[in-house]
Amino acid sequence: MSPPASQRRRSRLLSWPLLFVAILAFHSLAVYLFTRGFLLTRTELDLHSSRDDRPPQGDVSAGCTSWPPPAVDRLVIVVLDALRFDFVAPSTFFPEKHPWMDKLQVLQKLAANEKTSARIFKAIADPPTTSLQRLKALTTGGLPTFIDVGNSFGAPAIVEDNIMHQLVKNGKRVVMMGDDTWIQLYPEHFNKSFPYPSFNVKDLDTVDDGVIEHLLPSLHNNDWDVLIAHFLGVDHAGHIFGVDSTPMIQKLEQYNKILEGVIDTLRTLSKPGGTHENTLLLVMGDHGQTLNGDHGGGTAEEVETSLFAWSPKTPPDAVLSVLDHSSCNVDLHGEEVCISSMQQLDFAATISALLGIPFPFGSIGRVNPELYALSTGTWVNQRMGTDACTLQNDLEAWMRRYAEVLCVNCWQVKRYIDQYSATSVIGFPSEDLQHITNLYSRAQANWSASLRFTCSSETGSQEKLEGEGSVLPQQIDAYTDFLQTFAKLARSAWTEFDLWSMGIGLLLMILSVIIQAYMLVKLNTICQPSEQKTASSSIIRKLFFAFALVAIRAASFLSNSYILAEGRVANFLLATSCVTSVWHSMVKGEFSIENLVFLLLNIFARFGIEIGMSKQLPAPAITKDHSVSAICKIFGVNSCNILLEIFPIASLAFVAYIILKCLSHAICQKFLKYFVLCGTMVSYVSIACHWASETTLFSHTRPVQEFGRSLAPRFVYAIGGLSLAISALYRIFSPSDHLKMNKRITILVAIMLCSWSPTILVLLGRQGPFVALICMTGAWCIIKLQQKCQRGSGLSVADPVSVIQWSFLAVCLFYLTGHWCTFDGLRYGAAFIGFDHFHIIRQGLLLSIDTFGVSHILPILSLPFIAVVWYNSTSKDSRLKDVILNNITQVLLMYGLVTAITATMTIICVTIQRRHLMVWGLFAPKYVFDAIGLLLTDLLICLASLYYS
């Protein structure tokens, strides 16, 4: 005897959520295995250099048997976080002058007037350019590891050998003030420290004011050898307001005054016998930033930062022979300024050589000749070894000293290469390792010939052999070739890939896609009545078309250019589906207004993606590149700015009106209806108060500002959380027999969207209403078109084209809101809306909602709309309930399959491109975003299947 229909239905209701949970577990395992194989960090050797370490006597000359002697007594490092190269270099070096240029005049004047002791460098960082990775790379002398990005909000202490460890180990006293990341990385390395919280990007002054309070007084003290002052104002001003903003310019002007005070103090105390007689000042950035203030990727704006070096004690004029003169230009005052270039990879080795401490064991950089030469101490004509002779001029003496420093530098790097290759799982390719070894052997074999001098002990005379003038530069070039070749090898093949783990993870992903596709076909077969078998050909055509669109988008990930243009690719494919729909309806003579609206909507979406929305407009001010700048020229900039401040609030009111109107028709229970309506109204009023408090209209009304900036967003979050709790209780305890199934699903979806949308809107900022209108209009078009298609065909299976359009619309909204699949695409400012202090769980949750709100949360939770609107029957029989629930299951399964196919193709592309130059700057972040997006999609589908079943 067969079980009753209600029991069979209950069994099906339980089986599909379990299937989605199984898919989530399967994908989690696949992602874990692939990530473990792909994002392995380089092997960090637990070895440290020691003062007693000596190169083998048989390999090197007597002058290269110990660590270099100190060249400076004290070092002042001023770190200006996110210091772009064009913040420091004169504007004459760039094709176009911008408002943020030429603000650090004190550095430019020193570089122009004191050419032998001051220099501006373009410092090239290695991506990813997050602050933690940059500080770690600067101090260890190694290349950044991609996996460290995950620690950017909770940095563990660095255990790998680094210059901070060497400073403490060799008796150097270090004082730090500013960004508290230093304390997280080096908790026990400072004699004195004045840390300040660094994660509140809306706070431009707390860290900087703390540094200012301690910096100048510390310069008068004798209780330190290295002073580190890390300012954060420029980085935070960029994140919140962008580079082309008044707060950014004000910060740069403030820094100029601070640096004037630092330089004047150092100059005053640099007299013979003074505190800073032999001190070196470094003003540097850890990375750059894009025009909208983001960083983390590998674009030129992000990796190009500045380093300025100045010695109060002037080296001999021979230093000009060492400095590069290939990039020279006049500044605004007509003075010649020359700019050099260096790799940040060289920072640790150079600082170690200047301070006379052992190089960090894992350092693979080269002692930079120009930065090394700017210190007067490197020009002291002293004996470097037992076989050394007093040379005839300063340049030859310095070149010999630098060659011996490079000799130790190369020995240290070769020692590291040998140890790394012996202990790591894979090491470097044998042919590349042999080439590196040959370069080192040739350089050391030529060492004795490079210093061929005959010194007469009886007369003290010196005879230089013919051709000696070119031998030292050749020896320096040989060492440089070895170091640069290995650095290039490390950049191209540093990460160890566990191909077995990667392969198993990839196979599991492919297997999951096959299983999901099979289950979808099986479900379609079950759901489709026998009388509709003849109509299945139309579904097959739609499946083929939908698969083609997904395959085209997935295949585009093989190209780094198409990954950068992913938003435009998704928009193009969405428009293609619209054009196909228009053509098909015109052939049938059933053209509808929804097709035209959807096409126009795609144009607006493409326009928003091209402009970049929040990427190009981090502040309400209008830039000359913005599309409405022509209108502003007519009405005036001030009027236009006021209009821009009012327009988002007016748009929000329109969005709220539409939502309240829909809610009043969707929800029939009085208590639930009034609660949702009141909660939504309070949320939208709070959002309007929050935006109004940030405008100039209420700049003199302190109570409004305090409420709007802090309390109003918290009201939105609280109401959203309460609405989620109410929706869960309603789902569990409300009786369903008195409602049509489609009516019940509509109520559940409406409550869920009203719980999430205000929070997402307030996090999106003033672009939120515009994005909401596009989202609602696009969803309405897809639903209406699908409804007409369903009525015409009479099929009881989900339309795959509608699901694909829903998915592409979500991708477009992700890029429309200024997000990108790179770490500089995270809108960190959104995490602090309503809060001033950093808490990793709270800020992490808000940042996640902002990042995935319009691309994952809202689209997935609103998917049942595609299923329920097809049926307007008042029937309550079990067949109608089964049809609706089956369609919801099909839609969720289709959407999960589309995401799985996309993620699988991303994994394939990353596997193929793992040796690509942009793997860590582009392909790896894309994989991380897609992997997280896949797991989040699976989780939301599991919750949706339970909530709507």
Side-chain angles (χ1 to χ4, degrees), residues 490-747:
R491 284 191 175 94
S492 63
W494 191 261
T495 302
E496 299 173 357
F497 299 109
D498 186 346
L499 296 181
W500 280 104
S501 293
M502 292 172 63
I504 294 173
L506 177 58
L507 288 176
L508 288 178
M509 283 299 304
I510 295 175
L511 182 61
S512 75
V513 169
I514 295 174
I515 293 174
Q516 284 179 267
Y518 171 78
M519 295 303 298
L520 182 62
V521 173
K522 190 73 174 176
L523 183 61
N524 285 345
T525 304
I526 295 173
C527 296
Q528 191 173 2
S530 57
E531 63 268 15
Q532 292 182 354
K533 299 295 184 182
T534 56
S536 62
S537 59
S538 62
I539 287 294
I540 295 176
R541 288 196 301 269
K542 289 186 175 183
L543 279 172
F544 178 79
F545 179 65
F547 176 78
L549 292 178
V550 174
I552 292 172
R553 176 173 177 248
S556 69
F557 296 156
L558 282 168
S559 168
N560 60 302
S561 299
Y562 280 106
I563 291 179
L564 289 171
E566 183 182 2
R568 284 174 283 178
V569 171
N571 180 264
F572 173 79
L573 294 175
L574 182 59
T576 301
S577 68
C578 295
V579 172
T580 305
S581 177
V582 171
W583 177 80
H584 183 69
S585 62
M586 291 182 66
V587 169
K588 296 177 65 176
E590 299 175 353
F591 181 78
S592 60
I593 190 64
E594 289 85 0
N595 281 315
L596 180 61
V597 173
F598 207 10
L599 274 176
L600 294 176
L601 184 73
N602 273 276
I603 296 174
F604 280 111
R606 178 59 179 265
F607 182 70
I609 293 172
E610 290 293 338
I611 293 179
M613 292 294 291
S614 62
K615 290 289 285 185
Q616 298 297 328
L617 291 176
I622 286 292
T623 62
K624 66 179 180 179
D625 296 328
H626 192 254
S627 58
V628 299
S629 59
I631 302 176
C632 291
K633 291 179 181 178
I634 300 174
F635 295 99
V637 176
N638 292 332
S639 300
C640 203
N641 285 333
I642 294 175
L643 183 63
L644 280 179
E645 292 176 345
I646 297 176
F647 181 74
I649 299 176
S651 302
L652 181 69
F654 181 61
V655 171
Y657 172 77
I658 296 176
I659 291 177
L660 294 173
K661 195 77 172 176
C662 295
L663 286 175
S664 63
H665 291 288
I667 304 176
C668 54
Q669 290 91 342
K670 288 187 177 181
F671 170 76
L672 189 64
K673 179 177 183 178
Y674 291 131
F675 171 79
V676 174
L677 288 175
C678 292
T680 303
M681 289 176 62
V682 173
S683 295
Y684 279 86
V685 170
S686 299
I687 296 173
C689 290
H690 173 65
W691 292 346
S693 67
E694 295 180 336
T695 67
T696 57
L697 301 177
F698 295 93
S699 58
H700 302 293
T701 311
R702 188 171 183 82
V704 175
Q705 285 190 328
E706 291 180 354
F707 172 79
R709 291 184 178 180
S710 297
L711 294 180
R714 298 182 191 183
F715 274 129
V716 175
Y717 306 149
I719 293 172
L722 183 60
S723 298
L724 284 176
I726 294 295
S727 65
L729 293 174
Y730 174 77
R731 165 64 182 83
I732 296 172
F733 297 109
S734 68
S736 58
D737 294 339
H738 70 286
L739 287 176
K740 294 185 297 181
M741 191 63 189
N742 56 351
K743 188 69 174 177
R744 175 178 168 80
I745 296 296
T746 302
I747 293 174

Side-chain angles (χ1 to χ4, degrees), residues 81-82 84 129-130 201 234-243 248 287-303 612 614-618 817-820 822-830 847:
D81 207 290
R84 285 168 58 102
T129 49
T130 53
V201 293
V234 161
D235 180 62
H236 289 184
H239 281 303
I240 299 300
F241 301 103
V243 172
M248 177 65 76
H287 51 74
Q289 58 178 302
T290 60
L291 288 179
N292 61 293
D294 291 327
H295 57 87
T299 65
E301 292 176 312
E302 295 165 279
V303 301
S614 62
K615 290 289 285 185
Q616 298 297 328
L617 291 176
T817 51
H819 295 94
W820 303 92
T822 55
F823 292 104
D824 60 330
L826 295 174
R827 294 160 20 98
Y828 297 103
L847 184 62

Side-chain angles (χ1 to χ4, degrees), residues 237-484:
H239 281 303
I240 299 300
F241 301 103
V243 172
D244 191 5
S245 64
T246 300
M248 177 65 76
I249 295 173
Q250 290 173 344
K251 270 296 165 187
L252 292 174
E253 291 173 344
Q254 180 189 24
Y255 288 171
N256 188 66
K257 294 180 181 178
I258 296 169
L259 293 174
E260 283 180 349
V262 171
I263 291 168
D264 290 341
T265 302
L266 293 178
R267 196 189 299 276
T268 302
L269 300 176
S270 63
K271 303 296 187 291
T275 306
H276 297 295
E277 181 183 4
N278 190 23
T279 297
L280 182 67
L281 170 67
L282 298 179
V283 180
M284 59 183 294
D286 53 349
H287 51 74
Q289 58 178 302
T290 60
L291 288 179
N292 61 293
D294 291 327
H295 57 87
T299 65
E301 292 176 312
E302 295 165 279
V303 301
E304 291 180 0
T305 182
S306 296
L307 185 145
F308 171 83
W310 174 68
S311 174
K313 189 176 181 180
T314 305
D317 291 339
V319 70
L320 296 175
S321 302
V322 181
L323 300 178
D324 180 23
H325 293 275
S326 61
S327 179
C328 296
N329 205 341
V330 295
D331 60 12
L332 295 178
H333 306 288
E335 298 288 340
E336 184 185 53
V337 176
C338 294
I339 293 179
S340 301
S341 181
M342 67 172 290
Q343 298 290 326
Q344 279 194 350
L345 184 68
D346 301 337
F347 180 81
T350 307
I351 296 305
S352 299
L354 288 171
L355 292 171
I357 60 175
F359 299 173
F361 192 91
S363 171
I364 63 171
R366 174 188 65 140
V367 177
N368 183 270
E370 296 177 82
L371 185 55
Y372 189 70
L374 286 173
S375 171
T376 308
T378 64
W379 294 89
V380 176
N381 199 354
Q382 56 182 306
R383 295 180 181 271
M384 298 291 293
T386 57
D387 65 339
C389 301
T390 303
L391 303 185
Q392 290 182 334
N393 59 59
D394 290 329
L395 181 59
E396 291 175 353
W398 183 89
M399 290 179 66
R400 175 170 179 176
R401 179 169 186 162
Y402 179 62
E404 293 181 344
V405 169
L406 281 186
C407 176
V408 180
N409 192 178
C410 290
W411 163 76
Q412 172 266 323
V413 172
K414 183 61 168 61
R415 176 183 65 163
Y416 172 73
I417 295 173
D418 294 339
Q419 189 67 35
Y420 185 87
S421 300
T423 58
S424 62
V425 178
I426 299 176
F428 298 103
S430 56
E431 58 275 13
D432 293 326
L433 200 59
Q434 185 61 46
H435 177 60
I436 294 294
T437 302
N438 293 338
L439 287 177
Y440 180 75
S441 300
R442 284 200 296 267
Q444 293 294 20
N446 294 332
W447 177 247
S448 58
S450 300
L451 299 175
R452 290 179 299 169
F453 288 94
T454 57
C455 298
S456 173
S457 58
E458 298 179 357
T459 63
S461 62
Q462 174 181 299
E463 178 186 355
K464 191 191 327 181
L465 295 182
E466 184 178 359
E468 162 61 24
S470 62
V471 174
L472 278 173
Q474 291 174 1
Q475 182 63 37
I476 291 173
D477 290 342
Y479 283 139
T480 300
D481 186 32
F482 163 74
L483 292 169
Q484 291 181 341

